[in-house]
Amino acid sequence: ILNVEQSPQSLHVQEGDSTNFTCSFPSSNFYALHWYRWETAKSPEALFVMTLNGDEKKKGRISATLNTKEGYSYLYIKGSQPEDSATYLCAFRYRDGGTSYGKLTFGQGTILTVHP
Amino acid sequence: SAVISQKPSRDICQRGTSLTIQCQVDSQVTMMFWYRQQPGQSLTLIATANQGSEATYESGFVIDKFPISRPNLTFSTLTVSNMSPEDSSIYLCSVYGGELFFGEGSRLTVL
């Protein structure tokens, strides 16, 4: 059983605050680590797909880092805005010669609320 | 990328009934993936729907409870059979292309 854990479960911040979340995952048989944003009544949307140890990716005010040796990833949001309010999910894909195609193990998510 | 349409978007169902969720993709794909999120739980893969063959179910999910059809390369259905309150969830269909592309989900409440 693959265990993917996210912390914190929920977070309330003020507009303009910077924040970060953690995702921990198995450090063996690693293939990729995904981050998704899921806004209420919308589809989950991919933010990043990270595959290499030490990867850092950035999209606007959001960035992520990856440590595959110790099995964790951080997602950072700089200068949070109310429109950043959503559930942030990380998901792990294990290495298995192709049979894990499309099969991601998700964490429970971090619910972010940004107050104006 | 892919555009995925799902319906119904939400429904309230009675215990013991069955409901079929439809998923339409705007391009041809070999595999479609059905996920579920129960309240307070992680998104969990139910099964992989392959065109031309039977669906492949993950541990804990069985065909009698979640029959899947895949009549062509752009369409799939998931039926939730003999529903109980524990089946109250958001059901999502998705396709994979380096990342998962999801439909908007079907939120089912079973009374």
Side-chain angles (χ1 to χ4, degrees), chain B residues 45-102:
Chain B
L45 181 63
I46 299 171
T48 304
N50 307 296
Q51 201 277 327
S53 64
E54 282 203 359
T56 307
Y57 290 83
E58 298 300 306
S59 175
F61 297 96
V62 295
I63 187 171
D64 289 347
K65 177 67 176 176
F66 297 102
I68 286 172
S69 79
R70 186 78 204 275
N72 58 53
L73 289 171
T74 62
F75 187 78
S76 179
T77 67
L78 171 78
T79 299
V80 187
S81 302
N82 188 24
M83 286 186 282
S84 67
E86 293 70 39
D87 295 319
S88 297
S89 299
I90 301 174
Y91 293 84
L92 290 155
C93 72
S94 62
V95 300
Y96 191 73
E99 63 187 61
L100 281 171
F101 298 94
F102 289 96

Side-chain angles (χ1 to χ4, degrees), chain A:
Chain A
I1 295 177
L2 300 173
N3 207 25
V4 178
E5 295 187 356
Q6 291 186 246
S7 63
Q9 279 192 316
S10 64
L11 198 53
H12 290 256
V13 302
Q14 290 298 127
E15 183 174 355
D17 288 351
S18 294
T19 186
N20 64 85
F21 326 131
T22 305
C23 173
S24 63
F25 53 86
S27 56
S28 58
N29 296 320
F30 175 86
Y31 186 86
L33 192 283
H34 296 223
W35 281 99
Y36 291 83
R37 174 168 59 198
W38 193 359
E39 296 178 68
T40 303
K42 295 187 177 179
S43 316
E45 172 189 322
L47 290 171
F48 304 112
V49 179
M50 308 176 81
T51 57
L52 298 176
N53 184 44
D55 246 358
E56 291 189 23
K57 295 206 170 181
K58 187 174 180 181
K59 184 184 286 189
R61 293 180 291 99
I62 304 177
S63 60
T65 61
L66 179 68
N67 183 321
T68 61
K69 293 186 178 178
E70 295 182 41
Y72 65 83
S73 175
Y74 294 133
L75 186 79
Y76 301 91
I77 302 178
K78 185 177 176 181
S80 302
Q81 300 296 309
E83 57 265 31
D84 295 327
S85 298
T87 299
Y88 291 82
L89 303 170
C90 71
F92 172 81
R93 180 181 170 186
Y94 60 92
R95 179 176 297 281
D96 66 344
T99 61
S100 70
Y101 182 88
K103 300 180 183 180
L104 303 185
T105 301
F106 284 83
Q108 286 187 312
T110 294
I111 302 170
L112 174 68
T113 305
V114 182
H115 299 280

